Amino acid sequence: MTEGEFDPSGDQAVSSELAGVLPVDFTAFHSQQHRVYLRYAHLQLGNGKDAEEVVDDVFTFLLKVWRQALKEASLHGFAWAVLREHIERRLAVLGRQVAMVETAWFAALRRSSRERLELLESKLGLYAAIAELSERQYDVVLLAFLLGNDSDTVARMMGISPATVRSHIRGARRTLSRKLGVDWIPGEEKDQ
Protein backbone atom coordinates (compact mmCIF):
# COMPACT_ATOMS: atom_id res chain seq x y z
CA MET A 1 0.00 0.00 0.00
CA THR A 2 1.33 3.45 -0.89
CA GLU A 3 1.00 6.75 0.92
CA GLY A 4 -1.83 7.79 -1.43
CA GLU A 5 -3.81 4.63 -0.68
CA PHE A 6 -4.03 4.69 3.10
CA ASP A 7 -6.59 2.15 4.33
CA PRO A 8 -7.01 2.07 8.11
CA SER A 9 -9.50 -0.78 8.00
CA GLY A 10 -7.62 -3.10 10.36
CA ASP A 11 -7.25 -0.92 13.45
CA GLN A 12 -10.74 0.27 14.25
CA ALA A 13 -11.65 -1.79 17.30
CA VAL A 14 -10.31 -1.57 20.83
CA SER A 15 -8.43 -4.75 21.72
CA SER A 16 -10.46 -7.33 23.61
CA GLU A 17 -8.16 -7.05 26.65
CA LEU A 18 -8.77 -3.31 26.92
CA ALA A 19 -12.46 -3.44 26.05
CA GLY A 20 -13.18 -5.05 29.42
CA VAL A 21 -11.55 -2.27 31.43
CA LEU A 22 -12.41 0.80 29.34
CA PRO A 23 -15.76 2.54 29.72
CA VAL A 24 -18.29 0.89 27.41
CA ASP A 25 -19.37 4.21 25.92
CA PHE A 26 -15.74 5.12 25.17
CA THR A 27 -15.19 1.76 23.47
CA ALA A 28 -18.31 2.30 21.36
CA PHE A 29 -17.24 5.85 20.46
CA HIS A 30 -13.76 4.64 19.53
CA SER A 31 -15.20 1.88 17.32
CA GLN A 32 -17.51 4.33 15.54
CA GLN A 33 -14.99 7.13 14.96
CA HIS A 34 -11.53 5.58 14.72
CA ARG A 35 -11.48 4.74 11.02
CA VAL A 36 -12.83 8.06 9.77
CA TYR A 37 -10.52 9.96 12.13
CA LEU A 38 -7.60 8.04 10.62
CA ARG A 39 -8.71 8.76 7.06
CA TYR A 40 -9.20 12.46 7.84
CA ALA A 41 -5.83 12.70 9.63
CA HIS A 42 -4.13 10.98 6.70
CA LEU A 43 -5.57 13.53 4.27
CA GLN A 44 -4.25 16.31 6.49
CA LEU A 45 -0.84 14.89 7.36
CA GLY A 46 0.03 13.04 4.17
CA ASN A 47 1.13 9.70 5.61
CA GLY A 48 -0.30 6.82 7.55
CA LYS A 49 2.30 6.73 10.33
CA ASP A 50 1.69 10.33 11.40
CA ALA A 51 -2.07 9.84 11.08
CA GLU A 52 -2.02 6.76 13.30
CA GLU A 53 0.11 8.49 15.94
CA VAL A 54 -2.12 11.56 16.02
CA VAL A 55 -5.33 9.55 16.22
CA ASP A 56 -3.86 7.36 18.97
CA ASP A 57 -2.95 10.56 20.85
CA VAL A 58 -6.49 11.91 20.33
CA PHE A 59 -8.13 8.80 21.76
CA THR A 60 -5.64 8.66 24.64
CA PHE A 61 -6.48 12.27 25.48
CA LEU A 62 -10.22 11.61 25.15
CA LEU A 63 -9.95 8.64 27.49
CA LYS A 64 -8.17 10.82 30.08
CA VAL A 65 -10.96 13.43 29.96
CA TRP A 66 -13.82 11.05 29.13
CA ARG A 67 -16.06 11.97 32.09
CA GLN A 68 -15.72 15.68 31.30
CA ALA A 69 -16.14 15.04 27.56
CA LEU A 70 -19.48 13.34 28.20
CA LYS A 71 -20.68 16.53 29.90
CA GLU A 72 -19.94 18.67 26.83
CA ALA A 73 -22.92 19.97 24.85
CA SER A 74 -21.75 17.77 21.96
CA LEU A 75 -19.35 14.90 22.57
CA HIS A 76 -18.79 14.56 18.82
CA GLY A 77 -18.12 18.27 18.41
CA PHE A 78 -15.69 18.23 21.33
CA ALA A 79 -13.85 15.18 19.97
CA TRP A 80 -13.71 16.70 16.47
CA ALA A 81 -12.14 19.87 17.89
CA VAL A 82 -9.58 17.72 19.75
CA LEU A 83 -8.74 15.89 16.52
CA ARG A 84 -8.27 19.14 14.58
CA GLU A 85 -6.12 20.60 17.38
CA HIS A 86 -3.86 17.52 17.47
CA ILE A 87 -3.47 17.59 13.68
CA GLU A 88 -2.61 21.29 13.72
CA ARG A 89 -0.03 20.69 16.47
CA ARG A 90 1.56 17.84 14.53
CA LEU A 91 1.73 19.97 11.37
CA ALA A 92 3.40 22.75 13.37
CA VAL A 93 5.95 20.32 14.83
CA LEU A 94 6.65 18.95 11.35
CA GLY A 95 6.85 22.48 9.93
CA ARG A 96 4.38 21.58 7.18
CA GLN A 97 1.12 22.76 5.75
CA VAL A 98 -1.95 20.55 5.34
CA ALA A 99 -1.14 17.80 2.84
CA MET A 100 -4.71 17.31 1.56
CA VAL A 101 -4.05 18.72 -1.91
CA GLU A 102 -1.16 16.36 -2.62
CA THR A 103 -2.61 13.37 -0.77
CA ALA A 104 -6.01 13.54 -2.47
CA TRP A 105 -4.49 14.20 -5.90
CA PHE A 106 -2.04 11.31 -5.57
CA ALA A 107 -4.80 8.91 -4.47
CA ALA A 108 -6.91 9.99 -7.45
CA LEU A 109 -3.95 9.54 -9.77
CA ARG A 110 -3.37 5.97 -8.55
CA ARG A 111 -6.99 5.12 -9.38
CA SER A 112 -7.03 6.66 -12.85
CA SER A 113 -5.94 5.77 -16.33
CA ARG A 114 -3.94 7.88 -18.76
CA GLU A 115 -7.10 9.16 -20.45
CA ARG A 116 -8.16 10.73 -17.20
CA LEU A 117 -4.90 12.60 -16.46
CA GLU A 118 -6.25 15.79 -17.97
CA LEU A 119 -9.27 15.60 -15.69
CA LEU A 120 -6.97 15.00 -12.72
CA GLU A 121 -5.04 18.15 -13.49
CA SER A 122 -8.29 20.05 -13.07
CA LYS A 123 -8.90 18.17 -9.81
CA LEU A 124 -5.61 19.52 -8.49
CA GLY A 125 -7.09 23.01 -8.86
CA LEU A 126 -10.23 21.84 -7.09
CA TYR A 127 -8.25 20.37 -4.18
CA ALA A 128 -6.26 23.59 -3.87
CA ALA A 129 -9.51 25.59 -3.81
CA ILE A 130 -10.98 23.24 -1.18
CA ALA A 131 -7.91 23.84 0.99
CA GLU A 132 -8.80 27.56 1.02
CA LEU A 133 -12.37 27.11 2.32
CA SER A 134 -13.36 28.15 5.84
CA GLU A 135 -12.56 25.57 8.53
CA ARG A 136 -16.13 24.22 8.79
CA GLN A 137 -16.74 24.15 5.03
CA TYR A 138 -13.38 22.44 4.52
CA ASP A 139 -14.18 19.71 7.07
CA VAL A 140 -17.67 19.14 5.65
CA VAL A 141 -16.37 18.89 2.07
CA LEU A 142 -13.60 16.46 3.05
CA LEU A 143 -15.88 14.28 5.14
CA ALA A 144 -18.76 14.27 2.65
CA PHE A 145 -17.09 14.24 -0.75
CA LEU A 146 -13.52 12.99 -0.35
CA LEU A 147 -14.25 10.46 2.41
CA GLY A 148 -17.76 9.58 1.18
CA ASN A 149 -19.88 10.15 4.30
CA ASP A 150 -23.55 11.16 4.07
CA SER A 151 -24.80 14.43 5.60
CA ASP A 152 -26.21 12.77 8.72
CA THR A 153 -22.90 11.04 9.44
CA VAL A 154 -20.93 14.26 8.89
CA ALA A 155 -23.31 16.12 11.19
CA ARG A 156 -22.98 13.51 13.94
CA MET A 157 -19.19 13.39 13.64
CA MET A 158 -18.77 17.15 13.83
CA GLY A 159 -21.47 17.68 16.45
CA ILE A 160 -23.60 19.91 14.22
CA SER A 161 -27.04 19.54 12.65
CA PRO A 162 -27.64 18.02 9.20
CA ALA A 163 -29.11 21.38 8.15
CA THR A 164 -25.81 23.06 9.10
CA VAL A 165 -23.94 20.47 7.03
CA ARG A 166 -26.15 21.23 4.03
CA SER A 167 -25.61 24.96 4.59
CA HIS A 168 -21.83 24.48 4.64
CA ILE A 169 -22.05 22.41 1.44
CA ARG A 170 -24.05 25.16 -0.29
CA GLY A 171 -21.58 27.81 0.85
CA ALA A 172 -18.60 25.68 -0.19
CA ARG A 173 -20.12 25.05 -3.63
CA ARG A 174 -20.71 28.77 -4.16
CA THR A 175 -17.16 29.58 -3.05
CA LEU A 176 -15.61 26.81 -5.13
CA SER A 177 -17.60 27.72 -8.23
CA ARG A 178 -16.47 31.33 -7.87
CA LYS A 179 -12.79 30.35 -7.37
CA LEU A 180 -12.82 27.82 -10.20
CA GLY A 181 -14.84 29.96 -12.59
CA VAL A 182 -17.69 27.48 -13.06
CA ASP A 183 -21.42 28.02 -12.77
CA TRP A 184 -23.02 26.92 -9.53
CA ILE A 185 -26.44 25.38 -9.99
CA PRO A 186 -28.58 26.03 -6.91
CA GLY A 187 -30.35 22.89 -5.71
CA GLU A 188 -27.56 20.45 -6.66
CA GLU A 189 -26.81 19.76 -3.03
CA LYS A 190 -30.18 18.04 -2.58
CA ASP A 191 -28.45 14.80 -3.62
CA GLN A 192 -26.43 14.81 -0.38
Side-chain angles (χ1 to χ4, degrees):
M1 182 176 321
T2 67
E3 293 294 282
E5 294 179 332
F6 182 65
D7 179 16
S9 58
D11 295 325
Q12 46 191 339
V14 173
S15 71
S16 57
E17 305 87 52
L18 289 177
V21 296
L22 295 175
V24 173
D25 45 5
F26 175 82
T27 302
F29 183 82
H30 181 278
S31 295
Q32 291 172 350
Q33 304 304 321
H34 191 262
R35 181 174 183 181
V36 75
Y37 279 22
L38 276 174
R39 292 179 70 206
Y40 179 84
H42 180 253
L43 275 175
Q44 303 306 307
L45 298 167
N47 72 65
K49 181 180 182 290
D50 285 335
E52 289 171 2
E53 289 175 3
V54 164
V55 172
D56 285 348
D57 289 348
V58 166
F59 280 105
T60 300
F61 175 81
L62 288 173
L63 182 58
K64 288 178 184 176
V65 300
W66 190 244
R67 289 181 191 253
Q68 295 87 350
L70 290 173
K71 294 176 185 174
E72 292 288 328
S74 169
L75 170 62
H76 286 84
F78 175 76
W80 189 257
V82 170
L83 175 64
R84 285 194 57 87
E85 182 180 318
H86 276 75
I87 289 170
E88 288 171 11
R89 254 192 256 137
R90 177 62 62 100
L91 287 169
V93 166
L94 296 172
R96 293 193 337 234
Q97 297 293 319
V98 169
M100 186 277 300
V101 175
E102 295 82 13
T103 305
W105 188 84
F106 183 71
L109 178 62
R110 299 261 318 141
R111 291 187 305 266
S112 73
S113 63
R114 285 192 179 273
E115 298 84 46
R116 296 179 62 202
L117 284 178
E118 189 172 300
L119 175 62
L120 287 174
E121 288 176 9
S122 69
K123 283 186 177 181
L124 183 57
L126 172 62
Y127 297 145
I130 290 170
E132 296 176 6
L133 291 171
S134 72
E135 180 180 304
R136 288 291 185 147
Q137 287 179 351
Y138 174 83
D139 285 348
V140 166
V141 167
L142 260 62
L143 290 169
F145 297 105
L146 292 178
L147 298 179
N149 296 293
D150 61 46
S151 294
D152 290 338
T153 302
V154 173
R156 182 182 43 77
M157 287 178 53
M158 293 180 64
I160 58 179
S161 72
T164 301
V165 170
R166 290 188 297 275
S167 175
H168 286 312
I169 288 172
R170 278 191 304 277
R173 284 187 173 181
R174 279 191 290 267
T175 300
L176 292 171
S177 67
R178 191 173 51 250
K179 288 182 179 197
L180 298 172
V182 295
D183 290 332
W184 174 64
I185 302 169
E188 279 185 336
E189 53 281 326
K190 290 180 183 172
D191 60 0
Q192 279 298 310

